[in-house]
Amino acid sequence: MSHLLTFRYGGLVLEDKRSWPVFVPIANAFLPTQALVLLKQHQGRASRCVVRVGDLVREGALIGKADEGGAAAIHAPVPGIVKDIRPVRVSAGGPCSAVEILLQGNFDRLGKREERYIWTSMSRTDMIQTLRERGVVEMDEPGRPIVDMLASRKSPPILLLNCIESEPYLRTENAVLHECLKAVLEGLAILNRLLEPARTIVALEPHQEKELGEERLRVLSGIEAPVELIRARQKYPQDLPNQLLAAINGGRKKQGIGELFIIRPSTALAIYEAIVLAKPVIERFVTIAGGSIKHPAVLKARIGTPIGDLVEECGGFLGQPEKILLGGPLRGQPVHDLDAPLTKQTGAVLALTSEETNRSSKVACIRCGRCADVCPERLLPVEIYRRLDKNRTEDAHAIGLSSCTLCGACGYSCPSRLALVEAFATGQAARELRR
Amino acid sequence: MSRVTKTLVGAAPHIHAKQSTASLAWGSSLLLVPAFLWGLYCFKLAAVLPVVAAISAAILGELLIGLARKAFTLGDGTAFLTGLLVGLSMPPGVPLQVPILSALFAICLIKGAFGGLGANWMNPALAGVVFALLNWPAEMGTWKWPSHLTGVVGVSGASPLGFVHSKFATEAGGGDALSLLGASGFSFSGLDRSITAFLNNDLLGHLGVSLPSGYMDILIGNKAGAIGELSGLLLLAASIVLIARRIIRWEIPASIFASFAVLVWIFGGIPFGNGYFSGDILFEVLSGSFILVSFFMATDPVTSPSTPGGRILYGLAIGGLTFIIRRFGSGAEGVAFAVVIMNCFVPAIGKLELAGRINRTETLHE
């Protein structure tokens, strides 16, 4: 059982896993005195605001209603008064409407004994309706609503619990497994019931195995569905769908094994809480880390907490961070300031020093081919970049731009520090626009 | 949270590998220092002046080109490296206009005129060396003996490779390269005698083979030759670091060596009047600029292919061409010309690389 699986082509072996402890302290964050709740915390368009300034909202009350596919319900993470509804700018992209809630009043959940609902006797329609009402989405990018994911599948898929965090610093899913293993597995069992998958797989990093305990994983309790374990080598980007598929298939992607239905432990936990505890998505685990953070930790925090508060709880900054990110260092989003709020998709808040970023000024491409060496999709990033640089977008697509998953392995490796990922994202968006 | 004044919001990825284009170039330069120091020990001032002249000319050229484009590019280290490589390829005591004009040619015409770093299709340093070989064949073929062997600075003599190859035309049927050298009064050093004796008595003797005198001198660099090309030993040691630090990839030098060695082994004995499969691989590989060019110049990323398969194809072709040029060419040297010729085929190899990747990607994504 010691055999580690991975994908065959390219990839990065990043040093983080050796230099950084696998487990960091886990704690509950303080409640935010002012929560800023974005009305778009999902892939689709923003939800419709159903509260007005001055309204008193209870903990978990609906404040954003999903009117269309791609959107999900948004709930008040804390009880209080709606102080303001205003557009805010977070990271890249346009402004997004947000509801500001001033903490006030009584908690309906906090400190109360949790009531448990027995889901095994619930009907499929009831469960889906519950998931919709509780605003359950993927707890990482792109944040598709779970009900949309369930509706769009065609054949019986492979259900895959993706515990792998192949970007450096991230310890969120580790913490979720550590703290809430039973709940995660029960969430997986609920999905198993809804999907009736051909196989159910748990993809792990080797160090997580102890956490799970093997006898516990042979079957999902409650439904007695068999579970397969896949142990993956620590190589970036092992956590992306194509590379997970390759690991399952012993290196190469192959056709005909069916589609994957991938969820994170955080998402499984949200599903469990929505169905079993009747709880909307109002909090999540988040890694606060990076060289500029005094005491890195994983915090369980309310959605809408300003990331500055979370950083303060970890002892504040050590020196001046060069970059502050929401998400991992390879695929995350940079933010301008510390007022940016925690969202359902924010798995990490990182503050990186210049020693960590290794930034240097862009120089000309020397065609060294390091990007081609590491590309997990076996593309030639250098050639795609040259075409995009000359505005030959269609030529770039002809040599595989559309297969690029924007994992950033090429950009990480480029000694000339070309903005490869930025160019590829723009090139892909340009084609989307034309369609 | 007022302590954070300004953070950057550039695009992902937000972390990078330590290597930068500048660190690659400066790293290569640093690893050439031991070879230069050996040249300095052997030739004293005659080694310093050409190298300093070539580097100064390269830097001046880069500054002039930068002035025209309003860009200061000396920091990327590539101009310094080009100058250093041109200088190290010069014979000691060469008239200084040779390295100066060659380095200017390399930087201003080969690199600058095509658009600077990354846009040139020919390796600037090698183009500079070839420029010198074509324009000053006499000066580029005048060698000196290391001063510690002769006791006097500046005794001129033939390089082993040049000498042996010059005998091809006149004296066929003379055994092998080393005995030809021995018979013509090339005296091998005491160091060579003692190392060879040690190897033969204590190691190789047990295997039933013996190493003739002379190889150790050629390996260590006790011979006449260009300033930075003398010591194969030091260059090989530096090359191990080059590969281990991932400054260069192994495919190009390995495949140059593979095809060249096979051809030398099969056909290399014929000019000496011996049969097939009797070539002296060790002598040919350790002589001339073979090691310096295969590890430090043919591996220039700008002018070599971008995928492992492409690099192997490129290296095999260079090895083959080197053999042909050394065997039939007018001069003794061949590897510099071979690389410059193959530089022209890199775009064609690029098309093959792209086709290979696209086909394979398609089958992967079906």
Side-chain angles (χ1 to χ4, degrees), chain A residues 25 105 120 170 196 216 231 239 291 307-308 360 388 397 421 431:
Chain A
T120 40
L170 306 193
E196 292 169 343
R216 229 167 161 175
R231 293 163 194 77
D239 55 340
I307 59 171
S360 62
L388 290 172
H397 279 281
V421 178
R431 191 185 225 196

Side-chain angles (χ1 to χ4, degrees), chain B residues 25-39 80-86 88 227-229 234-235 238-239 242 291-293 295-297:
Chain B
W26 289 115
S28 298
S29 296
L30 192 67
L31 287 167
L32 284 167
V33 168
F36 168 69
L37 290 178
W38 178 253
F80 183 91
L81 179 60
T82 299
L84 180 61
L85 285 167
V86 168
L88 292 180
I227 298 161
E229 294 168 358
L234 290 175
L235 286 171
S239 303
L242 272 183
I291 295 174
L292 181 71
V293 172
F295 284 97
F296 285 86
M297 290 152 105

Side-chain angles (χ1 to χ4, degrees), chain A residues 109-146:
Chain A
R109 299 186 161 276
L110 194 69
K112 308 257 160 67
R113 203 176 146 269
E114 284 172 331
E115 218 170 311
R116 291 179 56 94
Y117 293 83
I118 310 296
W119 60 273
T120 40
S121 55
M122 274 172 90
S123 78
R124 189 189 148 82
T125 330
D126 283 352
M127 286 204 272
I128 288 182
Q129 187 54 30
T130 309
L131 289 173
R132 187 190 313 274
E133 281 169 8
R134 308 277 182 249
V136 181
V137 295
E138 279 178 296
M139 300 296 271
D140 65 348
E141 297 296 343
R144 289 168 294 180
I146 288 295

Side-chain angles (χ1 to χ4, degrees), chain A residues 158-208:
Chain A
I158 297 175
L159 173 58
L160 191 142
L161 182 70
N162 180 15
C163 308
I164 297 164
E165 291 176 290
S166 65
E167 285 188 79
Y169 304 102
L170 306 193
R171 300 291 184 267
T172 309
E173 304 304 339
N174 254 357
V176 171
L177 286 180
H178 186 261
E179 294 288 292
C180 315
L181 181 62
K182 276 182 93 168
V184 168
L185 292 180
E186 204 166 337
L188 190 65
I190 292 168
L191 260 187
N192 192 295
R193 160 67 66 82
L194 288 171
L195 277 171
E196 292 169 343
R199 296 158 78 181
T200 302
I201 297 175
V202 174
L204 294 169
E205 292 180 25
H207 63 84
Q208 290 169 332

Side-chain angles (χ1 to χ4, degrees), chain A residues 344-366:
Chain A
K344 295 177 188 176
Q345 280 79 46
T346 313
V349 176
L350 302 181
L352 302 179
T353 62
S354 54
E355 289 86 57
E356 290 168 297
T357 58
N358 274 318
R359 215 167 43 84
S360 62
S361 48
K362 178 189 156 183
V363 297
C365 172
I366 56 166

Side-chain angles (χ1 to χ4, degrees), chain B residues 2 8 23 44 46 53 58 79 127 148 158 189 203 210 213 245 250 259 266 306 356 359 362 365:
Chain B
S2 54
L8 299 166
S23 76
K44 311 292 184 279
H148 64 274
S189 69
L203 291 172
S210 82
S213 303
R245 304 284 304 173
W250 61 271
S259 67
I266 300 178
S306 322
N359 291 340
E362 272 167 6
H365 280 262

